[in-house]
Amino acid sequence: MSDDAAPWLIVGLGNPGAEYAGNRHNIGFMVVDLLAERMRGKFKAHKARAQVVEGRMGPPGPANRRVVLAKPMSFMNLSGGPVTALRDFYKVPPDRIVAVHDELDIDYPTLRLKLGGGDNGHNGLKSMTKSMGPEYHRVRCGIGRPPGRMQVADFVLKDFSSTERKELDWFVDRAADSVECLIAEGLERAQSAYNS
């Protein structure tokens, strides 16, 4: 089990750059941006090719945890390198790593939390798993499947539709709440509260 002094590493998966900011593929970035805002932290460049915020999360007392929020700046398909470098730098055990990412096989706006498992064709997860194995937490933010014959790559790199945007703030807020619950109260409690 984890060393209690070790921080949690919460990684939002996405692509850097203004042109990707509103894409479905960038919901992980949106969630860690909100968590940083809640912690009153500002992202700073880290030598691991990532933007990070260090701080504390959770209620005062024993459930208050040291956390590092991270956004890899390497592009989605190469997320594993920066995440592994951050893991080594902060000495984070695998069961304290959380990847927040978009998930095609779950309807929008549905959340599912889990520990370990496959990558389901998600290139960010594939890169992380290749670099450090599959035993990290996932906060899977459902975006649903592309309509008609639209290619998956085109779908994930498009912004949320105007209909989806009506629920996006609520969805990102709920995903951020689920990360806080996971860290303060553990996976089972977070799953029973947020898995739908």
Side-chain angles (χ1 to χ4, degrees):
M1 257 336 263
S2 294
D3 160 20
D4 264 358
W8 283 77
L9 175 59
I10 301 153
V11 181
L13 294 179
N15 287 309
E19 69 271 34
Y20 299 105
N23 290 179
R24 293 183 177 94
H25 223 17
N26 270 40
I27 194 161
F29 275 17
M30 296 173 197
V31 174
V32 294
D33 281 340
L34 178 59
L35 287 167
E37 209 176 288
R38 290 179 181 183
M39 287 165 49
R40 295 184 173 82
K42 290 239 183 300
F43 280 96
K44 294 182 177 72
H46 189 280
K47 64 182 182 186
R49 285 184 308 145
Q51 296 273 328
V52 300
V53 170
E54 296 179 45
R56 300 196 77 84
M57 183 180 284
N64 189 265
R65 308 276 191 237
R66 221 176 114 217
V67 297
V68 178
L69 303 176
K71 297 190 288 188
M73 291 287 118
S74 57
F75 287 96
M76 182 69 87
N77 301 3
L78 302 169
S79 301
V83 177
T84 304
L86 290 169
R87 175 200 67 184
D88 296 347
F89 182 85
Y90 290 104
K91 299 180 174 52
V92 182
D95 65 343
R96 289 220 176 161
I97 297 171
V98 182
V100 185
H101 63 91
D102 58 307
E103 178 67 66
L104 288 158
D105 287 337
I106 301 173
D107 289 338
Y108 181 85
T110 303
L111 278 179
R112 300 254 169 82
L113 286 81
K114 70 174 189 173
L115 174 63
D119 56 54
N120 238 8
H122 190 290
N123 290 328
L125 295 181
K126 198 175 286 181
S127 177
M128 279 181 65
T129 298
K130 190 176 171 197
S131 290
M132 58 189 200
E135 289 308 305
Y136 52 89
H137 289 92
R138 294 101 192 274
V139 174
R140 304 157 73 206
C141 303
I143 59 168
R145 285 255 156 214
R149 295 196 172 154
M150 188 190 283
Q151 292 297 310
V152 165
D154 295 333
F155 179 69
V156 299
L157 293 175
K158 276 203 171 22
D159 285 3
F160 287 95
S161 70
S162 53
T163 310
E164 288 169 332
R165 278 199 294 274
K166 290 179 182 139
E167 290 182 289
L168 186 58
D169 286 349
W170 171 84
F171 190 29
V172 168
D173 199 58
R174 190 169 159 76
D177 290 348
S178 79
V179 171
E180 291 180 343
C181 181
L182 167 64
I183 282 165
E185 301 181 56
L187 180 62
E188 279 181 28
R189 175 79 188 88
Q191 284 174 324
S192 68
Y194 293 95
N195 278 15
S196 42

